[in-house]
Amino acid sequence: MKARIGLEIHVQLTSLKTKLFCRCSADYRGAPPNTHVCPVCLGLPGALPVVNRKAVEHAIAVCLALNGEVADELVFERKHYFYPDLPKNYQITQYSKPICRGGYVEIEVRGRAKRVRIRRINLEEDPGRLVYPTGSPLTSPYSLVDYNRSGVALLEIVTEPDMEEPEEAAAFLEKLRSILEHLGVCDCGLEGAMRVDANVSVEGGERVEVKNIGSVSEVERALRYEIVRQASLLRQGGRVRRETRHWDPARKVTVPARAKEYEEDYRYMPDPNLPPVPIPAELVEKIRAQLPELPDERVKRLVSEYGIDRRTARVLVYTAKALADFFEDVVRLYPRDPQRTANYIVNDLLGWLKDEDLKPLYTRVRPEHVAKVMRMLDEGLISIRQAKELAEHIVKHGADPADLVEKLGMRRIADEERLRRVVEEVFRENPKAVRDALRKPKAVNFLVGMVMRKTRGQADPQLTRRLVEEMLEAVREGRLSLP
Ligand code: ADP
Ligand code: MG
Ligand code: ZN
């Protein structure tokens, strides 16, 4: 089933210390309600907005990183609607001249590359937040408003409807998130830092907008649901009309939004308090020159610098900047075999980290710990299977792998002298097996097995086999006699 998908992504500029038009702290998460507010972000009469220069610079950087064209002036407009989260009854946003027009992002799904075009990027203020005492508007007897978020700098990134399946939308969002993280403008893992409205239509129907989805995997799920719903409606002879719906993550369905809520008569007008300001070309060029390494370049560098395969490099970079940083930190500590390190991070550690929350990677798992696992592997202290087993403990409990190996009784006996004594013991206790092994190479396995059993599986199997063979040779040559 072919679909058309276009996304509108709201991204908070979380690295800014203050809001878009006032000096209130933008670091509002976890703060008591209505403590990060002032006359400007509460919309009190007479209060005057002043643009946060850093927010403009961040918006320009995002525009350039997405290959867009930066506007020659900064123009703000008022968008009117009536909802308690908006204290002024209008939102300061952009309309006639967004800060960025055009641009594109390259994505790749199942080995097929394609471009998703960006239509525009608006710089705007975030509204406040409605808080429902029971957690749901349906069951709460009243709602509360928290204006701490009101006025936080937001980018609205609008794509063309260039995506054809939910996987492409997910690939686009992952790539976008990684670009924003590499630019250092958005810590997209923070609750509510990236919110998506997904527009989707199927052939023969109009587009439906699914509002306010909170994560990449939820966007994918919502789109999959919506495409099936629209297609089956059409198949049954129904019609798909243009409407706005909400994604219910608990029930995993989309539900119609009340039409009144989104009456689209915004009465846009220029904001007389914020006259247009020219954006100097020199400023744009200065920001372009200072753009950091972006995801595509980083993938190429990981491949050439460490010799890892492209697929793994892409997983590291596009899952989260933190994951790629983590990989490079481990390799800096232990440079041997970066491919194996990358595989371990992607295949073993990542599996134990919850969907989209990569915080534990840096708060619990330390690069030194993973470097230690790699070293123990090379020293033959642990097997590959044991390294995989350690991954779970390392992620869940942040434990030092060296301690874990002791605690879990994993330490391998790689000490040659110690192991040689065990082999001698086995030889003395099993003279018949030794005589068998001298004639039949297959019977050597029995002796190796006995050594493993005596050491409760902790002997290094390769070393054990070598010592057994050496000792058989000594018996054969008469250098060692048996009872
Ligand atoms: P409006 O201006 O009314 O908000 P737009 O045409 O600007 O509508 O589109 C808003 C979003 O909807 C964009 O992300 C766009 O890509 C997407 N979109 C437009 N047409 C379609 C369509 N037929 N199917 C899916 N998405 C669409
Ligand atoms: Mg919009
Ligand atoms: Zn304020």
Side-chain angles (χ1 to χ4, degrees):
M1 185 75 226
K2 271 268 166 68
R4 292 180 78 193
I5 299 167
L7 303 174
E8 294 171 64
I9 305 106
H10 291 98
V11 175
Q12 285 182 341
L13 298 174
T14 58
S15 61
L16 296 177
K17 294 212 161 46
T18 55
K19 296 184 181 181
L20 183 53
F21 297 114
C22 61
R23 307 284 300 270
C24 288
S25 163
D27 187 12
Y28 66 87
R29 289 182 177 76
N34 299 307
T35 52
H36 290 210
V37 290
C38 74
V40 173
C41 56
L42 283 177
L44 300 186
L48 286 175
V50 179
V51 185
N52 181 334
R53 186 190 165 91
K54 276 238 162 67
V56 177
E57 293 178 358
H58 283 2
I60 292 172
V62 173
C63 178
L64 296 174
L66 301 184
N67 312 292
E69 197 183 320
V70 180
D72 59 358
E73 35 170 31
L74 187 63
V75 179
F76 286 108
E77 267 120 350
R78 294 179 174 183
K79 174 183 180 177
H80 298 80
Y81 66 92
F82 300 97
Y83 205 61
D85 63 0
L86 203 61
K88 300 189 289 291
N89 286 337
Y90 63 83
Q91 177 191 30
I92 304 176
T93 178
Q94 299 190 299
Y95 185 63
S96 60
K97 198 176 228 183
I99 192 158
C100 176
R101 268 190 212 282
Y104 61 88
V105 169
E106 306 253 15
I107 60 164
E108 197 178 300
V109 173
R110 293 186 296 273
R112 212 169 57 92
K114 92 186 257 182
R115 272 185 185 188
V116 175
R117 288 167 302 157
I118 305 291
R119 185 180 286 181
R120 58 189 287 152
I121 302 177
N122 298 329
L123 178 59
E124 60 185 28
E125 52 177 354
D126 212 350
R129 214 164 53 84
L130 292 192
V131 179
Y132 304 103
T134 67
S136 154
L138 298 174
T139 52
S140 297
Y142 58 90
S143 354
L144 299 159
V145 196
D146 178 5
Y147 288 114
N148 283 347
R149 196 180 73 180
S150 172
V152 165
L154 204 63
L155 294 182
E156 183 188 45
I157 303 171
V158 184
T159 77
E160 296 291 342
D162 287 346
M163 290 152 280
E164 289 167 293
E165 45 181 346
E167 290 81 355
E168 289 185 355
F172 172 84
L173 290 170
E174 270 164 17
K175 181 89 177 255
L176 176 65
R177 188 173 58 189
S178 184
I179 291 171
L180 296 169
E181 286 175 355
H182 280 82
L183 287 172
V185 301
C186 179
D187 184 351
C188 302
L190 290 174
E191 165 88 43
M194 191 181 195
R195 297 152 0 222
V196 179
D197 299 342
N199 294 272
V200 55
S201 60
V202 296
E203 216 180 314
E206 291 181 63
R207 79 174 157 97
V208 169
E209 182 171 7
V210 186
K211 283 266 183 198
N212 229 334
I213 320 175
S215 76
V216 177
S217 51
E218 293 291 306
V219 169
E220 207 178 334
R221 248 172 250 147
L223 283 171
R224 203 165 282 138
Y225 174 88
E226 203 35 45
I227 290 168
V228 170
R229 189 189 68 83
Q230 292 179 17
S232 58
L233 204 61
L234 290 175
R235 213 179 308 111
Q236 289 158 21
R239 293 184 56 182
V240 179
R241 288 207 181 73
R242 184 145 166 210
E243 70 166 326
T244 301
R245 298 175 74 88
H246 283 297
W247 171 242
D248 180 341
R251 291 192 293 144
K252 307 207 184 311
V253 295
T254 62
V255 290
R258 277 179 298 146
K260 232 176 42 205
E261 232 174 89
Y262 293 103
E263 206 83 65
E264 293 194 46
D265 180 12
Y266 293 135
R267 295 179 295 118
Y268 283 101
M269 58 172 270
D271 191 313
N273 294 334
L274 292 160
V277 194
I279 299 177
E282 304 85 72
L283 175 67
V284 177
E285 288 322 306
K286 192 176 140 223
I287 295 172
R288 195 195 300 278
Q290 289 171 354
L291 285 179
E293 182 183 49
L294 293 170
D296 284 343
E297 303 164 55
R298 192 170 194 187
V299 168
K300 285 201 193 108
R301 182 174 60 79
L302 293 186
V303 169
S304 64
E305 188 172 338
Y306 304 111
I308 64 174
D309 68 79
R310 185 166 167 278
R311 193 197 69 83
T312 311
R314 284 172 57 86
V315 176
L316 287 170
V317 173
Y318 297 133
T319 303
K321 176 175 180 287
L323 196 68
D325 292 346
F326 189 86
F327 164 73
E328 293 206 70
D329 284 350
V330 176
V331 172
R332 226 165 274 134
L333 291 167
Y334 193 71
R336 242 197 102 185
D337 203 346
Q339 179 74 59
R340 187 184 56 181
T341 302
N343 291 346
Y344 188 69
I345 292 172
V346 166
N347 300 331
D348 299 308
L349 292 181
L350 205 53
W352 294 107
L353 291 162
K354 255 197 268 105
D355 197 20
E356 320 226 352
D357 181 15
L358 289 168
K359 286 268 156 48
L361 199 65
Y362 265 112
T363 50
R364 289 210 301 270
V365 188
R366 297 224 308 272
E368 300 89 279
H369 289 171
V370 176
K372 246 183 214 174
V373 173
M374 296 301 128
R375 182 172 296 121
M376 288 191 294
L377 269 171
D378 281 333
E379 289 170 352
L381 286 174
I382 55 171
S383 64
I384 290 174
R385 195 181 51 75
Q386 285 172 323
K388 283 181 181 297
E389 226 179 294
L390 283 176
E392 181 184 359
H393 297 272
I394 292 174
V395 171
K396 288 194 179 157
H397 315 295
D400 185 322
D403 299 340
L404 279 171
V405 163
E406 293 297 339
K407 216 169 83 195
L408 301 172
M410 277 184 181
R411 182 171 280 284
R412 283 226 225 164
I413 302 172
D415 176 343
E416 212 172 307
E417 271 319 299
R418 221 177 113 200
L419 209 52
R420 197 186 303 276
R421 281 197 297 277
V422 181
V423 175
E424 269 178 25
E425 252 174 67
V426 168
F427 269 52
R428 251 183 273 111
E429 288 162 15
N430 303 279
K432 185 177 166 308
V434 174
R435 275 190 289 276
D436 284 351
L438 284 169
R439 279 180 282 115
K440 290 185 290 181
K442 260 206 177 141
V444 173
N445 289 339
F446 175 80
L447 292 170
V448 173
M450 290 301 290
V451 175
M452 295 308 282
R453 193 178 312 164
K454 249 189 172 348
T455 57
R456 296 200 316 281
Q458 290 176 40
D460 181 306
Q462 269 151 16
L463 181 58
T464 305
R465 179 163 297 273
R466 204 191 83 215
L467 292 175
V468 168
E469 305 267 16
E470 275 176 20
M471 216 161 284
L472 283 171
E473 202 49 39
V475 174
R476 199 174 282 127
E477 291 172 1
R479 281 185 281 118
L480 186 82
S481 55
L482 291 171

